[in-house]
Amino acid sequence: MSEPRKLYVRSFGCQMNVYDAQRMTDTLAKEGFVETDTAEDADLVILNTCHIREKAAEKVYSELGRLRVAQEEAGRRQMVAVAGCVAQAEGAEILKRARGVDLVVGPQSYHKLPELVADAERRGSNRRAGIVETEFPVEDKFDFLAPPSRQAIARRGPTAFVTVQEGCDKFCTFCVVPYTRGAEVSRPVAKILDEVARLADGGVREVTLIGQNVNAYHGADAGGRPAGLAELVRKVAEVPGIARVRYTTSHPRDMDDELIAAHRELPALMPYLHLPVQSGSNRILAAMNRKHDRELFFATVERVRAARPDIAFSSDFIVGFPGETDEDFADTMDLVERVGFAGAFSFKYSSRPGTPAATMEVQLPEEVKSQRIYALQALLDRQKAAFDAACRGRRFEILLEKPGRFPGQLIGRSPYLQSVVVEAPREAIGTLATVEVRAVSTKSLSGDIIGGEFFAGGAGVEPRLVGQSETVEA
Ligand code: SAH
Ligand code: SF4
Ligand code: F3S
């Protein structure tokens, strides 16, 4: 037997890419590739790219340049693949712009990686003949991608992403996703439950169901009828071993009554909702083709809060969309003030080739975008700091995920995805602990464990037998 070949995958962009990277790794493991965490000693490097903003998309080229220099210095040849949304959007252009790329593969073709890699290997150093695979195939890649081994699941820790829906039919005028990921497709319920059961069996306690528009999920149930996200979340929460469920990313238009009821009724559904709004101006929301106004966003927040009073929200914002006036921007600031967010991502509008907004007339100067993002981020940072500060003295359950920076420390996540540093032994990883928060810093909280699955009876409790998590209010 020859030495196993080494694979290094570097992901940019969203959680979809994190999930895809794992599926690619699992699929190539069957071909004898083992994971390594440095590009330098890999035989195959996959750059799993993001096209959402110009800066993100350009990263792949600096990364490719770096790889080439490193290879030349080491006198070594590696196979290099570009995957992800830049691969889909730019295809053969990548081969023209960067030398040393053996393979360009779009997100819907990852199940073909074994044959593509073998093909690229056969072509060897004849790099001018790089392979490009960016078709949207008729078959469903999920039927062919390998599942993770038990060891891979254990290595990845007690939380996992599961893609339940991919692609987008919303066509916001600024966004490349409908083009890079294609039309919205939901996976069938049974297949998702199989995947979750497998993860739970390997020790996963928390799953985040992911999709570009996850609350538009409508996968087939056992009878072939479409099931909504609420039904899926309920079934996932029932999988033995699963203590916590999250989902992301949601569209405000698709927060239906069933999903809101699930927030009311399911303690395992974490009270933290990422609900991107992009802008607080009705004029801009319309120009973005978001298909809702600010009033609908306020009403949705109210409905969710009424169902689950301890819920907190995060969101995404874009400033400097074409034609955005000072007044429009003031509306965004006003929306933020009114809602109050526990976290948020905000971006300067980036013009993307092929999107309708790219050709809109009034593109704003960079300095206007900079001023606005600065003001918005300052406000959002203040809100986040206030939310975190209000957690001091509170008690809630955290899922212990990994070792902390210092010996004897573990890091867990609160229901609100805050990192919480506690003192606990390594054996407690993968269990839920009730923590009283003592201190709050900008990056994390810290606290004392006052009970939990591992700690209640002193000795380790078999985590899989323990029920769902609950948020305990101080
Ligand atoms: N499906 C999600 C978001 C996917 S992209 C949704 O509908 O909300 C993640 C975030 O990137 C978006 O919410 C948006 O805030 C930001 N984004 C997308 N396109 C952008 C662009 N052209 N310029 C700046 N930010 C953008
Ligand atoms: Fe992009 Fe809009 Fe679809 Fe989100 S809903 S992925 S922002 S087109
Ligand atoms: Fe980026 Fe593609 Fe995700 S463009 S944000 S990696 S869907």
Side-chain angles (χ1 to χ4, degrees), residues 52 167-178 184 212-213 249-251 276 278 288-290 318:
I52 201 82
C168 184
D169 294 341
K170 293 263 190 318
F171 290 93
C172 301
T173 52
F174 51 82
C175 183
V176 293
V177 171
E184 210 176 279
Q212 268 92 13
N213 245 299
T249 297
S250 307
H251 195 285
Q278 317 298 356
M288 287 176 163
N289 191 32
R290 288 292 289 180
I318 294 176

Coordinates of all heavy atoms in Angstrom, one line a residue, residues 52 167-178 184 212-213 249-251 276 278 288-290 318, ligand 2:
I52 N -19.6 36.2 -2.7 CA -20.7 37.1 -2.2 C -20.3 38.6 -2.4 O -21.2 39.4 -2.7 CB -21.1 36.8 -0.8 CG1 -22.5 37.3 -0.5 CG2 -20.2 37.3 0.3 CD1 -23.6 36.4 -1.0
G167 N -29.5 26.7 -2.5 CA -30.0 27.5 -3.6 C -31.0 28.5 -3.1 O -31.4 28.5 -2.0
C168 N -31.3 29.4 -4.1 CA -32.3 30.5 -3.7 C -33.1 31.0 -4.9 O -32.5 31.2 -6.0 CB -31.5 31.7 -3.1 SG -32.6 33.0 -2.5
D169 N -34.4 31.1 -4.7 CA -35.2 31.7 -5.7 C -35.7 33.1 -5.5 O -36.6 33.6 -6.1 CB -36.5 30.8 -5.8 CG -36.3 29.4 -6.2 OD1 -35.2 29.1 -6.8 OD2 -37.1 28.5 -6.0
K170 N -35.1 33.8 -4.5 CA -35.5 35.1 -4.1 C -35.0 36.2 -5.0 O -35.6 37.2 -5.2 CB -35.2 35.4 -2.7 CG -35.9 34.5 -1.7 CD -37.1 35.2 -1.1 CE -37.9 34.6 0.1 NZ -38.0 33.1 0.1
F171 N -33.8 36.0 -5.5 CA -33.2 37.0 -6.4 C -33.2 38.5 -5.9 O -33.8 39.4 -6.5 CB -33.9 37.0 -7.8 CG -33.6 35.8 -8.6 CD1 -34.4 34.6 -8.5 CD2 -32.4 35.7 -9.4 CE1 -34.1 33.5 -9.2 CE2 -32.1 34.5 -10.1 CZ -32.9 33.4 -10.0
C172 N -32.7 38.6 -4.7 CA -32.4 40.0 -4.3 C -31.5 40.6 -5.3 O -30.6 39.9 -5.8 CB -31.8 40.0 -2.9 SG -32.8 39.1 -1.7
T173 N -31.7 41.9 -5.5 CA -31.0 42.5 -6.7 C -29.4 42.6 -6.5 O -28.7 42.8 -7.5 CB -31.5 43.9 -7.1 OG1 -31.5 44.7 -5.9 CG2 -33.0 43.7 -7.6
F174 N -29.0 42.5 -5.2 CA -27.5 42.7 -5.0 C -26.8 41.3 -5.0 O -25.6 41.3 -4.9 CB -27.3 43.3 -3.6 CG -28.1 42.7 -2.5 CD1 -27.6 41.6 -1.9 CD2 -29.3 43.2 -2.1 CE1 -28.2 40.9 -0.9 CE2 -30.0 42.6 -1.0 CZ -29.5 41.4 -0.4
C175 N -27.5 40.2 -5.0 CA -26.9 38.9 -4.5 C -26.6 37.9 -5.6 O -27.4 37.7 -6.6 CB -27.9 38.3 -3.6 SG -27.3 36.8 -2.8
V176 N -25.5 37.3 -5.5 CA -25.0 36.3 -6.5 C -25.5 34.9 -6.2 O -25.4 34.0 -7.1 CB -23.5 36.2 -6.6 CG1 -22.9 37.5 -7.1 CG2 -22.9 35.9 -5.2
V177 N -26.0 34.6 -5.0 CA -26.3 33.2 -4.6 C -27.3 32.5 -5.6 O -27.0 31.3 -5.9 CB -26.9 33.2 -3.1 CG1 -27.4 31.8 -2.8 CG2 -25.7 33.6 -2.2
P178 N -28.4 33.1 -6.0 CA -29.2 32.4 -7.0 C -28.5 31.9 -8.2 O -28.8 30.9 -8.8 CB -30.3 33.4 -7.4 CG -30.3 34.3 -6.2 CD -28.9 34.5 -5.7
E184 N -33.7 26.9 -5.6 CA -33.9 26.4 -4.3 C -34.3 24.9 -4.3 O -35.3 24.6 -5.0 CB -35.0 27.2 -3.7 CG -35.0 27.3 -2.2 CD -36.2 28.3 -1.8 OE1 -36.0 29.5 -1.9 OE2 -37.2 27.7 -1.4
Q212 N -29.6 28.5 2.3 CA -29.6 30.0 2.0 C -30.9 30.6 2.4 O -31.0 31.8 2.6 CB -29.3 30.2 0.5 CG -27.9 30.4 0.2 CD -27.3 29.1 -0.2 OE1 -27.9 28.1 -0.4 NE2 -25.9 29.1 -0.2
N213 N -31.9 29.8 2.4 CA -33.3 30.3 2.7 C -34.0 29.2 3.5 O -35.0 28.7 3.1 CB -34.0 30.5 1.4 CG -34.4 31.9 1.2 OD1 -35.0 32.5 2.0 ND2 -33.9 32.5 0.1
T249 N -29.9 30.3 7.2 CA -30.4 31.6 7.4 C -31.8 31.8 7.0 O -32.2 31.2 5.9 CB -29.5 32.6 6.5 OG1 -28.2 32.5 6.9 CG2 -30.0 34.0 6.7
S250 N -32.5 32.6 7.7 CA -34.0 32.7 7.5 C -34.3 34.0 6.7 O -33.5 35.0 6.8 CB -34.7 32.8 8.8 OG -34.4 31.8 9.6
H251 N -35.4 34.0 6.0 CA -35.8 35.2 5.3 C -37.1 35.7 6.1 O -37.9 34.8 6.4 CB -36.2 34.8 3.9 CG -36.4 36.1 3.0 ND1 -37.5 36.9 3.1 CD2 -35.6 36.6 2.1 CE1 -37.4 37.9 2.2 NE2 -36.2 37.7 1.6
P276 N -31.9 38.1 8.6 CA -31.3 39.3 7.9 C -32.4 40.2 7.4 O -33.4 39.8 6.8 CB -30.6 38.6 6.7 CG -30.3 37.2 7.2 CD -31.4 36.9 8.0
Q278 N -31.2 43.6 6.0 CA -30.4 44.3 5.0 C -30.6 45.8 5.1 O -29.6 46.6 5.0 CB -30.7 43.9 3.6 CG -30.9 42.4 3.3 CD -29.6 41.6 3.6 OE1 -28.5 42.2 3.9 NE2 -29.7 40.3 3.5
M288 N -34.1 46.5 -3.5 CA -33.3 45.2 -3.3 C -34.1 44.0 -3.6 O -33.6 42.9 -3.6 CB -32.9 45.1 -1.8 CG -31.8 46.0 -1.3 SD -31.6 45.8 0.5 CE -30.0 46.5 0.7
N289 N -35.4 44.2 -3.9 CA -36.3 43.1 -4.2 C -36.4 42.1 -3.0 O -36.4 40.9 -3.2 CB -35.9 42.3 -5.5 CG -36.9 41.3 -5.9 OD1 -38.1 41.6 -5.7 ND2 -36.5 40.2 -6.5
R290 N -36.4 42.7 -1.8 CA -36.5 41.8 -0.6 C -37.9 41.3 -0.4 O -38.2 40.4 0.4 CB -36.0 42.6 0.6 CG -34.5 42.8 0.7 CD -33.8 41.5 0.8 NE -33.9 40.9 2.2 CZ -33.3 39.8 2.6 NH1 -32.5 39.1 1.7 NH2 -33.4 39.4 3.8
I318 N -26.8 45.7 4.8 CA -26.0 46.3 3.7 C -26.1 47.8 3.7 O -27.3 48.3 3.7 CB -26.4 45.7 2.3 CG1 -26.2 44.2 2.2 CG2 -25.6 46.4 1.2 CD1 -26.6 43.6 1.0
Ligands
SF4_2 FE1 -29.2 36.2 -1.7 FE2 -31.6 37.3 -1.3 FE3 -31.4 34.7 -1.8 FE4 -30.5 35.7 0.5 S1 -32.6 35.7 -0.2 S2 -29.4 34.2 -0.8 S3 -29.7 37.7 -0.1 S4 -31.0 36.3 -3.2

